[in-house]
Amino acid sequence: MVNVIGLGYIGLPTALMLAAHGVEVVGTDYNEELVETLNAGRTTFKEDGLDSLFARAVEAGIRFTTEYQPCDAYIVSVPTPYDRESKKIDAGYVVAAVESVLDVARSGAVVVVESTVSPGTIDRFVRPAVEARGLVCGRDVHLAHAPERIIPGNMVRELMSNDRTVGADDPAVGQKVASLYASFCQGEITVTDIRTAEMTKVVENTFRDVNIAFANELAKICRSDGMDVREIIRIANKHPRVNILSPGPGVGGHCISVDPWFLVGDYPELARLIRNARETNDSMPDFVLSRAADIMAECGIADVSKVGIYGLTYKEDVDDVRESPTLQMLDSMRRHLAAGACRVYDPWVERDVAPNQVHSMDEFLDGLEMAIVMVGHSQVKGKPELFGDRVLLDTRDVMGSGGNVYKL
């Protein structure tokens, strides 16, 4: 039996996938409401294919509880935030989960940390927690790290198709963990040491963040001198060894916007490019506000309440608002005394997460003179006519061209 600890965006799909492929699974989460929802037969977030996977897992016998289970294998998938001052990882959730596991684990159990962590986290925080119990790593408890490589909106497919990495102290334990994931993973599973596995995952997301920052910085340079950044990128990308990404309103989600800070926090004197990239991407919501103010002045729009913000999630066609550029922008507006002035709408976000949020397109558009499109949901992508003759600031370049469509 496998006890999956943490039933959020990563832990729940992992638990369901294992159960649906013949592994006996119990999912554990401290959130009683979440567990009750799952036991009532409902998933807790929107994701393509998740409901059908849930049905298969329930039919196979998966159970959900707030209690940790005595067993031989655990997968820990809990949050790993970072301290916004020091930029260092807060490993508290991981350590607390591991300590709870140790209360009930059988001798020789394998504890797989699936949460993304900074390089050395298991050595600095998890291993000492094991040893503080008088247990010996490699004998009483076996530690491993198997970071995920999936993205909201395509989680179910990527869980099966993407390559994976497993880090372990003992290669034999690594192969045992790899065999567990191979129950559903069709990609290549690489077995290495724990620290390499930790570093690899953070490096992957940092690479993407740095490349996004280049595009965003290029957008700022071009805007300052009246050049079309997308035309420049289109032409530059005709070079066989150039692949510049598209600029946007910022970087969200719990991976790309967080993981690079782990390296900055641990290597402050070395990770200078990484820090600059993070600061560039974090500055984009303010850049959007500045651009919106310029467009309002150009179009004679003086009343901020006539401006609406479309999109609250961090990417298109998901309900995930973690580290959302829109929420970052609204926070900046609050600091500048404009809290709640703009109407906000996102078809994927049913609960209220922002001031002045509405829950229908008609209500959103009523009386608006300008809309800032922060997310390219399928609802509006390529459909500027949905906004009528209103002025549009298209931060994602998804609305096409036209006299009332402005770009970053």
Side-chain angles (χ1 to χ4, degrees), residues 63-128:
R63 294 183 289 121
F64 305 104
T65 178
T66 58
E67 302 295 326
Y68 289 74
Q69 304 296 303
C71 61
D72 298 315
Y74 299 85
I75 294 177
V76 175
S77 185
V78 296
T80 49
Y82 69 98
D83 183 271
R84 294 187 182 272
E85 294 298 323
S86 69
K87 309 303 184 187
K88 290 182 178 293
I89 190 172
D90 177 358
Y93 292 108
V94 172
V95 171
V98 171
E99 288 178 335
S100 295
V101 162
L102 296 177
D103 289 339
V104 298
R106 295 170 183 160
S107 179
V110 178
V111 179
V112 182
V113 176
E114 194 170 85
S115 306
T116 300
V117 297
S118 63
T121 294
I122 290 177
D123 283 345
R124 293 196 306 271
F125 299 104
V126 177
R127 206 178 298 277

Side-chain angles (χ1 to χ4, degrees), residues 129-150:
V130 174
E131 294 170 348
R133 299 289 187 100
L135 302 173
V136 176
C137 292
R139 185 191 68 191
D140 304 311
V141 176
H142 299 282
L143 298 178
H145 180 48
E148 46 77 24
R149 277 178 174 156
I150 58 177

Side-chain angles (χ1 to χ4, degrees), residues 20-336:
H21 288 82
V23 178
E24 183 183 357
V25 177
V26 176
T28 296
D29 199 290
Y30 75 93
N31 186 326
E32 293 183 5
E33 183 179 353
L34 181 151
V35 170
E36 289 174 0
T37 299
L38 294 172
N39 281 327
R42 303 190 305 274
T43 52
T44 50
F45 56 91
K46 299 176 183 177
E47 178 66 36
D48 187 31
L50 188 66
D51 286 343
S52 60
L53 179 63
F54 181 82
R56 290 166 53 200
V58 169
E59 184 178 358
I62 191 171
R63 294 183 289 121
F64 305 104
T65 178
T66 58
E67 302 295 326
Y68 289 74
Q69 304 296 303
C71 61
D72 298 315
Y74 299 85
I75 294 177
V76 175
S77 185
V78 296
T80 49
Y82 69 98
D83 183 271
R84 294 187 182 272
E85 294 298 323
S86 69
K87 309 303 184 187
K88 290 182 178 293
I89 190 172
D90 177 358
Y93 292 108
V94 172
V95 171
V98 171
E99 288 178 335
S100 295
V101 162
L102 296 177
D103 289 339
V104 298
R106 295 170 183 160
S107 179
V110 178
V111 179
V112 182
V113 176
E114 194 170 85
S115 306
T116 300
V117 297
S118 63
T121 294
I122 290 177
D123 283 345
R124 293 196 306 271
F125 299 104
V126 177
R127 206 178 298 277
V130 174
E131 294 170 348
R133 299 289 187 100
L135 302 173
V136 176
C137 292
R139 185 191 68 191
D140 304 311
V141 176
H142 299 282
L143 298 178
H145 180 48
E148 46 77 24
R149 277 178 174 156
I150 58 177
I151 188 169
N154 201 29
M155 285 181 172
V156 174
R157 286 185 292 275
E158 291 200 352
L159 267 175
M160 296 184 67
S161 62
N162 286 359
D163 295 346
R164 294 197 72 119
T165 303
V166 173
D169 295 330
D170 182 346
V173 172
Q175 291 297 339
K176 182 178 180 180
V177 174
S179 296
L180 178 64
Y181 283 102
S183 66
F184 63 82
C185 178
Q186 300 167 5
E188 179 182 355
I189 303 177
T190 300
V191 176
T192 184
D193 61 273
I194 289 177
R195 197 176 182 94
T196 297
E198 291 172 324
M199 185 67 167
T200 299
K201 173 59 189 292
V202 174
V203 164
E204 291 167 0
N205 285 330
T206 300
F207 172 84
R208 296 171 66 197
D209 193 50
V210 170
N211 279 271
I212 293 169
F214 175 74
N216 285 336
E217 189 165 279
L218 192 59
K220 291 182 175 183
I221 292 170
C222 292
R223 175 57 54 194
S224 74
D225 212 16
M227 293 179 282
D228 184 342
V229 66
R230 285 181 168 79
E231 177 70 356
I232 290 166
I233 290 174
R234 183 184 71 83
I235 296 170
N237 280 349
K238 291 182 179 294
H239 189 290
R241 290 175 294 280
V242 174
N243 183 24
I244 305 170
L245 303 178
S246 297
V251 174
H254 187 64
C255 291
I256 301 178
S257 63
V258 174
D259 297 355
W261 284 125
F262 295 165
L263 295 179
V264 174
D266 288 345
Y267 307 98
E269 296 303 316
L270 300 175
R272 296 179 182 180
L273 172 65
I274 297 168
R275 176 188 287 276
N276 287 340
R278 273 282 72 236
E279 290 173 347
T280 293
N281 288 334
D282 278 352
S283 75
M284 291 307 292
D286 279 342
F287 180 70
V288 173
L289 285 179
S290 176
R291 179 76 175 122
D294 290 344
I295 295 169
M296 289 174 65
E298 179 182 335
C299 298
I301 301 171
D303 187 350
V304 177
S305 69
K306 300 294 184 181
V307 178
I309 300 172
Y310 177 89
L312 278 161
T313 61
Y314 88 90
K315 69 185 293 284
E316 69 281 356
D317 298 336
V318 301
D319 64 354
D320 192 344
V321 299
R322 291 177 297 174
E323 306 293 330
S324 156
T326 302
L327 293 180
Q328 294 175 42
M329 188 170 74
L330 290 172
D331 183 61
S332 179
M333 293 174 69
R334 282 191 288 272
R335 293 196 305 270
H336 292 89

